[in-house]
Amino acid sequence: MRFFQIPGLILTLLCFTLTLVHAQEEGKVHIGGYGSIRYEANDLDNQVNTFTFRRFVMTTYVPITGRLSFLSELELERFRLLELEKKTEGESGVTVEQAVEGTGGSEISLEQAWLQWELSSALRFRAGGILVPLGRFNINHDDNIWMFPRRSLVDRGAPVLPVKSAWDELGMGFNGRFMVGEQAQLSYEMYVVNGMVLDVEVENKYRTRIDEGMKRVAELKFEPFTGSFSSDAKEAKALTGRLALSPTLGTEVGLSGYYGRYTPQYLPAEQVGSVGVDFLINRGSLALEGEYIYTSMGDVRSVASAFAGQVQNQVAEVVLEDPDGPGIEDEIEVALSGLSDSRQGYWLEARYAFSPAFLRGTVLGQEEQPLWYLGARWEQVWYNNLVQEAAFADGALSEFVTSDRQVNRLSLGLTFRPTPLVGFQLAYERTWTADGQSLADVVNFLAAEPDEDVAQAFLFGVTFGF
Amino acid sequence: MFTERRLANFSGRAGGVCSVPMLWLVLAALVLVRALPAGAQQEQTRPAQPTFVYLTPDEALQEAFPKAARFRVDTLRLSLEQRRALAKKLRQPELDSLFIVHLAYNAEGHFLGYATIMNEVGKYEPITFVVGVDPRFRVKKVAVMVYRESRGGQVRQPRFLYQFRNKSARDPLQPGRDIINISGATLSVRAISRGVKKALHILSFWYGTHPPQGGRRSEP
């Protein structure tokens, strides 16, 4: 069996590579990508000033025929290394060794991968991992096309989107565009997808302690995630779509939505519904762009109660005594995260393009048509009944704390583009909450202390596409 | 309106995964056959790219000057100094020494303007388009003739091309400033903007001092 499998696999991979090379020579496979690297300095006590290779995304686009095409995006986020070692020895019993070596904060994900069949420009069938067309950012999320090095709060930092961007789901549906007269264009996207789900993230922690021995903690964190690309355990599909009208080139207004169940099969059905309105206005060198999203997750208290009934106990602990040493403490903890009854937010961005004449004879004016952008982005997000704590024991909620929260951010930036696909971004951002509450509970990119309600940061980013 | 003429689209596919061991080998063999150079396979008809020809050269000239009764071809030969001076103005590394211009005249022999066919590389492939310029060196019409890229074809839409109307060599013709970019077609937008700018500079440089026969007249 193995004799056939291994050489067959190697031969297939070899031939597949040859096919890709052959196809690329013919101009059939287009390899592209984008990425961003940045340096961030901020004034929070626990937030380090650091370089971050934020993401590198490889894009493959294959026009199989004039009407059939395939596109995929493979994302490496803060990624450098993932190494797996495995060894089995059969001497006086069987010894199995497994070691995983990786870099912190790293992630590999398939951002999209779909096949499209273009019946006409007004009717295209698309199937696969599809970007959810909620708002305008998620479907245009490439780092190198944006003014600021950090993504918006609504889409990423304090997500009003049910799942933070880039959010893709497995499904199929249609998209297309119609010309309305000579100037106007109407476009749509409509898909049925497996849909987002309250899924679990398992975190293992190993802690050494003075005089108390070792502690091993397994944290089971249940929070909203992209739905399964395997089998949809909740057996309920979600519907998502966007309708956009572009009266003239450079102007667009969009209306979008998402609706579907998000609780897994073992919990009572609860739906998530989102609506979005977005726009873009270009007038000469000035561009205004914005997005508003509202999301409702239903009654999260009843979700938490049912969850408690299913899980029974939030924490389980056991201490393994060792007569010769301090012993080991084992703990399993279950947590609910990222839920609120509803949330809403918006971002508005204004940017102005210019090309200073006095720089044209300098090194900054050497490329064909370099451009500078001066911009500002204003963002606000509100959470209604954001779950702060859900403690439970013996199948019942013992403590359920929610609060209404708000977070604001103002970003100012200057971006230099020697060529349209490459940007050098300098930005200042000030993020703060209302009523002196900590930033820690409402944003996912700042390690704020309980008394830190304002954060200021300078970012220098390099972003590129090819 | 444009005459859309799709030349051809043929393609094959390869790939696939199977858990049955023997099928690996069969599949590998099939993929290998697929990967062999064309000469080792049976004859196939398959162009490298989906290429769309929207306008032939004659149709393009008529599109630029519908009232033209005849066109006279003028071949401009730019000296090295002229090319260097224009390249510096355009901030481009180099220019061709030959530049072909079609001078448009109506039935009465009045000069209507200049038309030139440009080829500018988008992301991977050249985009062929016609630039029609009036006697006062302002853009009258831009139309895409051949589009070879697989993505970014929105640049052939009239609503994109319309924004070049009345642009002159004094305008920046720069996406993001006076030309609205199309997301997903950035390099095609830049290619067409670059080509239009090049045409305007060369035409105004050459014919500004050497007006054509019957030149410097507005279109009747």
Side-chain angles (χ1 to χ4, degrees), chain A residues 392-427:
Chain A
F392 49 93
D394 299 327
L397 273 179
S398 55
E399 199 177 356
F400 187 73
V401 180
T402 63
S403 63
D404 295 340
R405 300 298 307 275
Q406 182 189 342
V407 59
N408 316 295
R409 185 165 68 188
L410 174 68
S411 308
L412 303 171
L414 179 68
T415 294
F416 170 59
R417 289 190 182 277
T419 183
L421 298 181
V422 174
F424 297 89
Q425 308 156 309
L426 186 65

Side-chain angles (χ1 to χ4, degrees), chain B:
Chain B
M1 293 301 291
F2 293 129
T3 311
E4 183 171 328
R5 191 173 304 161
R6 209 164 98 224
L7 288 182
N9 296 298
F10 301 98
S11 180
R13 279 191 293 174
V17 178
C18 181
S19 59
V20 181
M22 282 307 288
L23 281 181
W24 279 112
L25 295 174
V26 174
L27 182 64
L30 286 172
V31 174
L32 183 60
V33 169
R34 179 65 195 80
L36 283 171
Q41 299 176 57
Q42 290 194 336
E43 190 178 321
Q44 290 186 6
T45 308
R46 190 180 58 189
Q49 284 289 338
T51 299
F52 294 88
V53 177
Y54 298 102
L55 294 169
T56 63
D58 287 345
E59 288 169 340
L61 295 176
Q62 281 302 319
E63 184 86 14
F65 292 98
K67 292 178 182 171
R70 69 180 177 90
F71 289 92
R72 183 169 70 80
V73 178
D74 207 355
T75 302
L76 314 188
R77 293 175 197 281
L78 300 170
S79 68
L80 185 62
E81 288 73 30
Q82 288 169 334
R83 274 159 39 211
R84 279 184 181 158
L86 281 166
K88 194 178 171 188
K89 249 184 189 177
L90 292 163
R91 309 172 85 178
Q92 290 179 15
E94 57 184 30
L95 290 179
D96 289 339
S97 55
L98 286 182
F99 195 74
I100 294 168
V101 182
H102 302 263
L103 305 172
Y105 295 89
N106 66 10
E108 288 79 42
H110 291 149
F111 178 61
L112 302 178
Y114 314 87
T116 181
I117 293 169
M118 308 295 294
N119 279 290
E120 291 290 331
V121 175
K123 186 160 188 176
Y124 303 105
E125 304 289 336
I127 304 167
T128 305
F129 54 99
V130 65
V131 182
V133 175
D134 72 17
R136 291 192 295 177
F137 305 111
R138 290 188 173 276
V139 175
K140 189 174 174 299
K141 180 90 184 183
V142 180
V144 173
M145 298 165 61
V146 187
Y147 193 78
R148 301 171 181 86
E149 301 276 9
S150 49
R151 301 175 81 192
Q154 302 97 306
V155 291
R156 71 180 184 85
Q157 291 177 343
R159 73 183 200 142
F160 168 73
L161 298 168
Y162 188 79
Q163 60 183 327
F164 289 97
R165 271 182 84 98
N166 293 321
K167 295 285 184 194
S168 74
R170 288 185 197 147
D171 292 304
L173 284 157
Q174 187 171 13
R177 287 181 76 193
D178 59 338
I179 299 298
I180 295 168
N181 189 31
I182 300 173
S183 186
T186 301
L187 296 180
S188 294
V189 169
R190 192 167 72 143
I192 291 185
S193 305
R194 183 173 57 225
V196 173
K197 187 167 185 166
K198 190 191 291 183
L200 284 169
H201 274 267
I202 293 174
L203 291 172
S204 55
F205 164 77
W206 189 270
Y207 293 107
T209 48
H210 306 91
Q213 187 186 4
R216 293 197 188 281
R217 286 191 192 178
S218 298
E219 187 179 353

Side-chain angles (χ1 to χ4, degrees), chain A residues 30-34 57-61 71-74 142, chain B residues 151:
Chain A
H30 297 166
I31 304 292
Y34 63 87
V57 178
M58 287 293 294
T59 307
T60 310
Y61 178 73
L71 182 138
S72 70
E73 276 187 13
L74 184 66
D142 299 13
Chain B
R151 301 175 81 192

